Amino acid sequence: MKVYKEVIRYESAPLSARHHDRGTTEPISFFFSNLEELLSWKPTSQDMFNIAVTPLAKRYPPIDGQRPRTLVCHDMMGGYLDDRFIQGTDSKEPYVFYHWQYIDIFVYFSHRMFTLPPVCWTNAAHKHGVSVLGTFITEWEDGGKVCESFLAGDEATYKAVADQMVALARFYRFDGWLINIENVLSPAAVSRVPLFLSYLTEKLHSQVPGGLVLWYDSVLHSGELKWQNELNAENRQFFAACDGIFTNYNWKEDHLQRMTAEPRRTDIYVGVDIFARGDVVGGKFETIKFVNTICCKKNPTPCCAPDGIFFEYSSEFLCALCCRFWSLLENRLYSHSLRTLPICSSFCLGRGKKRFSYGQAEEIGPWFNLSAQELQPIFSDVAADEGASYVRCRICPQDAWHGGNSLLIEGTLSGETNAVSLRLFSLHVPTPDKLMLSMVYKLEGDPNVSVSLELSTQDAPLCSVESVTEITGIALRPSPCSPRTAPYIVLALFRGCSLMSLSHFRFYEVQLSGCLLTSLSVRFAKTKHDGQDENFVCRVGEIRILDASLPRQPPAQPSDLTLSHVHWRRDQQSNQLFVSLTLHWSHPMDNIRHFRIYCRGVTCHRAPESQPHLLGLAHACIYRVVDVAIPDPCAPAPGRLEFTVQPVHRDTVEILPPVWGHLALEFVEQTHTEV
């Protein structure tokens, strides 16, 4: 175990105000207010908190396909609210977005000159295969001066700005930029804009795989600020120099009609303001009117060009209404499929009223951290027998297996219906030779209903189900369909398992050949066929699909655990001693759910050891310990704190013994010698 020795000093720690909250020293996300801040930026060790750790997941169809795409812009009260706190907050009503399957691009927007997406948004979006863009914006007279300063001169100046923008996206691991120049430009400056866009786009593509540069419909090729609400000859040169454009909101059907013949129409995003500001129709829950017009029924083409849609959110839009809002649009938007294994989710939104671990509430009180958000399901309803039988789902904050939420599924099986299936995930995953599946759920009461998982495969003659086996060796019978040609597999998992119990954990292995998984559903079936209605309420705590053909490796132990930026504080009223510090370590991030950070405080070496205390969860190999109350050292022996880091993996199907990274901090009070 590495041991650090410290003398307690109360002067301020050398922390960057850009990267840390001034009051608490918590790490925060940030922006750049001007060109000088951008051009002087160089990464330091304190930037590590803001690096996204989740790579952009693969999805089907891919974003570069010739199909309609959807973009959402987060424009809420200037941005950098609760989401700026990288390690989370105790906010009671934070805004979260979780209908990722309908969108392709997420823009974090603010009126800061260079808006860098908070790392929590990038982590959450990337888990679902959604690209994340920052925003470069100039406005009004001051914005015009900024543009003149880097566009009207020689090419070295605008290239230096573009180089830094690319460096930021590459270092912090977001996916590109929205360029929004909303001020008048001189002839010299506007002539440079296409060159700037072209250079920025080319450089970004070479250094950020899948990177995107989008232009907002604002300035004309003459330099005049005049929104066009369409792609036309006045703004086409900007569109031609980058990856796409989205239009201003105040379009009419004739604007859309004029763009139907555009060869790159899938790169045009039509502005939709859900609050219907300006001369537009619809808004709020009537936003479907916008979308129906864009996907023009009167137009002879299958989907009226342009094919992209842009949504803007504001603080008036309540998160509780998201499901209703998106359910109205789901038939008009493309839904995406997951493409890779493992697929693991506890359905956590990245917020909760409590924090759970293996079904036990380990922290009481509201919390928010979007980096903790896990794969979200398809929130859809199923009805049969003219609505007499139904099943619907929503997120439940009252109970969970991991994180803050479970998936609450409610339904009724009428006397005429024996079973109903609810699709949770759309898939496009070639199967390995063996799959491992698991599910944790509990049923309220004692309904005459069984719960099972249903995997659907593409209807292909080569697809076969070789076997279904419980890992403990107890064989299960495959589904009633022919095991060689079955389009899906039904597995009854964890019958009667309570979210609060580990005693019923079971896992199943499925051997397949030549299959393509297309969906994962939960199936509810009557256990008694007595013609009676059966109501049920089920909470699903976790679902996993793992590649069981890969050799299972023992979990790695965090290594190279170090600490830095120690800050001591003594409360003047209580005389309580507090310490803050930053922990760093090394560990592969593949399939890491989070790291659990523990501290054990020992007054001195001769005192009995205390129990480790959970400080919090880290979603990267770095964690800021903030204001931990510790006992004073008992001279002459030093005080001692021990910090430990435990990785928790998404693809671990059983509770593993603790594997820790260890570090100790020994500290003494500063002494003064009289001369």
Side-chain angles (χ1 to χ4, degrees):
M1 181 188 299
K2 188 178 295 184
V3 179
Y4 286 79
K5 298 180 182 295
E6 281 275 332
V7 176
I8 298 174
R9 296 180 175 88
Y10 297 104
E11 62 267 21
S12 298
L15 290 172
S16 163
R18 172 182 291 167
H19 300 89
H20 297 84
D21 181 76
R22 294 185 179 183
T24 65
T25 79
E26 292 178 83
I28 56 174
S29 293
F30 61 90
F31 51 85
F32 292 131
S33 298
N34 52 55
L35 284 178
E36 291 73 20
E37 290 181 0
L38 173 81
L39 295 173
S40 63
W41 173 80
K42 292 181 180 179
T44 71
S45 62
Q46 297 184 55
D47 281 286
M48 303 304 290
F49 284 104
N50 280 281
I51 298 176
V53 297
T54 306
L56 183 62
K58 294 181 180 180
R59 53 166 24 188
Y60 182 84
I63 192 173
D64 55 1
Q66 294 301 307
R67 58 168 181 80
R69 296 192 287 268
T70 306
L71 180 152
V72 162
C73 189
H74 177 284
D75 183 5
M76 182 176 286
M77 300 173 64
Y80 300 101
L81 304 173
D82 296 320
D83 53 9
R84 76 185 186 276
F85 293 102
I86 295 172
Q87 294 181 177
T89 73
D90 58 359
S91 175
K92 294 181 180 179
E93 294 295 335
Y95 175 74
V96 298
F97 180 83
Y98 51 95
H99 289 81
W100 299 103
Q101 72 269 22
Y102 299 122
I103 76 169
D104 299 273
I105 302 167
F106 181 87
V107 175
Y108 194 84
F109 184 89
S110 80
H111 289 270
R112 319 290 184 171
M113 186 172 292
F114 295 94
T115 300
L116 309 181
V119 64
C120 64
W121 281 104
T122 305
N123 284 332
H126 278 186
K127 290 174 187 176
H128 297 83
V130 174
S131 299
V132 178
L133 308 186
T135 305
F136 168 51
I137 185 171
T138 59
E139 301 175 282
W140 315 111
E141 184 177 346
D142 288 343
K145 293 177 181 178
V146 170
C147 291
E148 297 300 318
S149 69
F150 83 95
L151 288 171
D154 58 38
E155 67 176 17
T157 306
Y158 74 73
K159 286 185 175 180
V161 172
D163 287 342
Q164 284 292 81
M165 293 173 69
V166 172
L168 287 167
R170 182 181 181 184
F171 183 81
Y172 294 121
R173 299 178 186 170
F174 60 95
D175 304 295
W177 292 93
L178 165 68
I179 309 301
N180 186 9
I181 295 178
E182 297 201 60
N183 47 257
V184 176
L185 295 176
S186 69
V190 76
S191 69
R192 295 280 190 180
V193 171
L195 300 176
F196 166 67
L197 290 173
S198 179
Y199 179 81
L200 174 64
T201 303
E202 181 180 357
K203 195 73 177 287
L204 185 75
H205 288 178
S206 68
Q207 298 194 23
V208 179
L212 294 167
V213 176
L214 302 182
W215 173 259
Y216 182 65
D217 160 32
S218 51
V219 174
L220 310 184
H221 69 85
S222 63
E224 181 183 2
L225 177 62
K226 188 176 181 180
W227 297 269
Q228 298 298 288
N229 304 299
E230 65 176 321
L231 173 68
N232 58 28
E234 299 286 354
N235 54 27
R236 182 173 295 277
Q237 63 176 345
F238 310 121
F239 172 70
C242 64
D243 295 305
I245 186 174
F246 66 80
T247 72
N248 192 46
Y249 314 112
N250 296 315
W251 46 265
K252 304 296 182 183
E253 288 194 42
D254 59 326
H255 291 101
L256 303 180
Q257 187 63 41
R258 284 193 290 268
M259 295 185 285
T260 56
E262 168 58 44
R264 288 179 58 199
R265 63 180 181 270
T266 56
D267 296 329
I268 307 171
Y269 302 85
V270 180
V272 174
D273 179 2
I274 67 167
F275 289 98
R277 291 167 291 192
D279 185 18
V280 297
V281 177
K284 298 186 180 180
F285 290 110
E286 293 187 342
T287 299
I288 186 62
K289 294 181 179 179
F290 289 110
V291 180
N292 281 336
T293 304
I294 294 171
C295 300
C296 198
K297 294 180 181 179
K298 299 177 183 179
N299 194 289
T301 58
C303 188
C304 178
D307 294 323
I309 302 171
F310 164 81
F311 292 111
E312 179 180 354
Y313 284 99
S314 81
S315 58
E316 299 175 40
F317 190 78
L318 301 177
C319 180
L321 302 176
C322 277
C323 281
R324 179 186 170 195
F325 177 84
W326 286 97
S327 68
L328 296 172
L329 305 178
E330 62 182 354
N331 292 330
R332 282 298 186 178
L333 304 179
Y334 272 64
S335 184
H336 301 84
S337 302
L338 306 174
R339 285 185 57 190
T340 57
L341 298 179
I343 294 170
C344 308
S345 182
S346 66
F347 308 103
C348 180
L349 292 182
R351 60 175 287 184
K353 297 181 178 179
K354 304 175 185 177
R355 192 190 299 276
F356 293 81
S357 180
Y358 294 104
Q360 299 291 333
E362 64 180 4
E363 185 175 334
I364 307 299
W367 64 275
F368 167 65
N369 188 340
L370 273 175
S371 288
Q373 187 179 101
E374 302 214 338
L375 283 177
Q376 293 301 302
I378 299 168
F379 292 92
S380 59
D381 299 341
V382 176
D385 296 342
E386 298 182 347
S389 296
Y390 72 91
V391 60
R392 57 175 176 253
C393 67
R394 58 185 172 89
I395 292 296
C396 173
Q398 307 301 328
D399 205 350
W401 182 245
H402 284 300
N405 315 101
S406 58
L407 186 67
L408 179 65
I409 303 176
E410 301 170 294
T412 294
L413 297 176
S414 72
E416 304 298 321
T417 303
N418 290 326
V420 173
S421 294
L422 178 70
R423 187 170 64 128
L424 297 184
F425 295 103
S426 177
L427 310 176
H428 191 85
V429 180
T431 60
D433 293 338
K434 292 182 181 180
L435 287 176
M436 183 183 297
L437 297 99
S438 69
M439 179 170 67
V440 179
Y441 74 91
K442 67 178 177 181
L443 286 166
E444 287 190 0
D446 189 23
N448 296 314
V449 173
S450 65
V451 185
S452 60
L453 282 180
E454 183 175 282
L455 272 179
S456 298
T457 64
Q458 191 176 59
D459 188 13
L462 296 179
C463 177
S464 64
V465 181
E466 306 292 341
S467 65
V468 180
T469 309
E470 188 175 8
I471 290 177
T472 58
I474 302 173
L476 285 181
R477 187 172 62 185
S479 65
C481 306
S482 168
R484 292 287 173 180
T485 60
Y488 59 85
I489 308 156
V490 178
L491 298 177
L493 304 181
F494 306 107
R495 178 186 289 274
C497 174
S498 167
L499 285 180
M500 306 303 291
S501 170
L502 297 179
S503 61
H504 296 91
F505 251 87
R506 292 181 290 167
F507 304 94
Y508 294 86
E509 190 173 87
V510 184
Q511 190 166 354
L512 301 164
S513 176
C515 298
L516 180 73
L517 301 181
T518 58
S519 70
L520 175 67
S521 304
V522 178
R523 182 178 175 85
F524 299 91
K526 289 181 179 178
T527 57
K528 295 180 181 180
H529 304 292
D530 53 9
Q532 299 298 312
D533 291 357
E534 196 67 53
N535 301 316
F536 62 89
V537 176
C538 177
R539 285 183 173 83
V540 181
E542 185 171 73
I543 287 180
R544 303 173 188 242
I545 309 177
L546 309 178
D547 184 349
S549 65
L550 298 175
R552 299 188 65 193
Q553 302 292 334
Q557 179 173 338
S559 60
D560 304 321
L561 186 59
T562 61
L563 64 80
S564 64
H565 300 99
V566 181
H567 175 77
W568 301 95
R569 182 178 70 86
R570 188 175 291 279
D571 184 79
Q572 297 299 316
Q573 294 183 341
S574 66
N575 202 38
Q576 174 66 58
L577 181 62
F578 296 88
V579 67
S580 300
L581 54 88
T582 300
L583 298 172
H584 312 252
W585 60 92
S586 298
H587 192 278
M589 291 303 298
D590 296 344
N591 296 320
I592 283 291
R593 174 171 267 152
H594 53 248
F595 299 93
R596 294 169 65 85
I597 313 300
Y598 290 87
C599 178
R600 181 165 58 192
V602 180
T603 304
C604 54
H605 284 310
R606 64 177 180 269
E609 291 188 352
S610 60
Q611 293 297 314
H613 171 69
L614 179 65
L615 295 179
L617 308 182
H619 295 87
C621 294
I622 188 169
Y623 184 79
R624 180 71 182 167
V625 176
V626 177
D627 260 1
V628 172
I630 58 175
D632 289 319
C634 51
R640 182 181 175 93
L641 296 176
E642 293 182 4
F643 296 96
T644 53
V645 177
Q646 182 190 33
V648 178
H649 298 79
R650 289 192 180 92
D651 59 358
T652 301
V653 294
E654 69 267 31
I655 299 179
L656 295 170
V659 178
W660 308 94
H662 297 268
L663 178 146
L665 171 65
E666 292 187 351
F667 53 95
V668 296
E669 288 279 7
Q670 186 174 14
T671 58
H672 300 278
T673 304
E674 294 184 5
V675 178

